[in-house]
């Protein structure tokens, strides 16, 4: 009887192991491929991870960032980043990438949603950066004191998306009055 019980437990444990979510392992493999510079393979493994578990935070976030960085699929990037944002609504990195996508698209409603996310987060420097970039890019408003503060503190350089947005702001609003 005791031996039958052991076999039943072993059988049950093997079923649990087979049914466990392997998306985390696939996302780890994708991160490894990404760190090696194999973007195509990383995209493949992130896709596999999301097929296993469409709610995998790491896969949604990293796939969204990879797509945003490529600049080729902003709609898909936003979709994945929005899914990741549901799991971590105050993540400044995700918010900055979404801000970039929505500002470049000129989408005021989505931009306002991202700004609301910043206002609820702990990172007040990035919140003020997001507000500055939004008013600069969408409304072509100048704010020399904020611009100088961000230039001196190098806050925009902390994230590729914010760096690109700051450059876009510079080109759109400030270079017109101060050509090189």
């Amino acid at each position: 009887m005791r031996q039958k019980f052991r076999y039943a437990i072993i059988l049950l444990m093997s079923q649990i192991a087979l049914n466990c979510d392997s998306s985390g392992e696939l996302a780890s493999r994708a991160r490894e491929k990404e760190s090696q510079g194999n973007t195509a393979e990383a995209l493949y493994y992130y896709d596999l991870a999301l097929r296993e578990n469409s709610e995998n935070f790491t896969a949604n976030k990293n796939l969204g960032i990879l797509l945003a960085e490529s600049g080729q699929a902003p709609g898909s990037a936003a979709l994945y980043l929005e899914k990741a944002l549901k799991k971590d609504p105050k993540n400044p990195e995700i918010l900055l990438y979404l801000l970039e996508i929505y500002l470049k698209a000129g989408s005021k409603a989505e931009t306002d949603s991202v700004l609301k996310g910043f206002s609820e987060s702990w990172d007040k420097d990035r919140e003020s950066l997001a507000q500055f970039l939004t008013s600069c890019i969408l409304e072509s408003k100048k704010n020399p004191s904020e611009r100088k503060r961000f230039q001196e503190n190098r806050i925009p350089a902390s994230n590729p998306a914010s760096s690109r947005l700051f450059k876009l702001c510079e080109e759109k609003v400030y270079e017109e009055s101060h050509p090189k």
Side-chain angles (χ1 to χ4, degrees), residues 60-118:
N60 277 306
K61 176 184 167 220
N62 293 351
L63 181 55
I65 290 172
L66 271 177
L67 292 172
E69 286 291 328
S70 77
Q72 300 298 311
S76 295
L79 174 80
Y80 293 116
L81 290 167
E82 288 283 356
K83 281 185 107 171
L85 192 64
K86 287 179 184 174
K87 298 254 184 197
D88 187 2
K90 296 178 183 180
N91 186 306
E93 183 178 27
I94 295 170
L95 289 168
L96 283 168
Y97 277 101
L98 284 170
L99 183 69
E100 178 183 31
I101 292 166
Y102 296 143
L103 283 176
K104 285 183 175 180
S107 179
K108 179 81 170 114
E110 282 85 0
T111 299
D112 288 344
S113 168
V114 172
L115 289 176
K116 185 177 187 286
F118 274 112

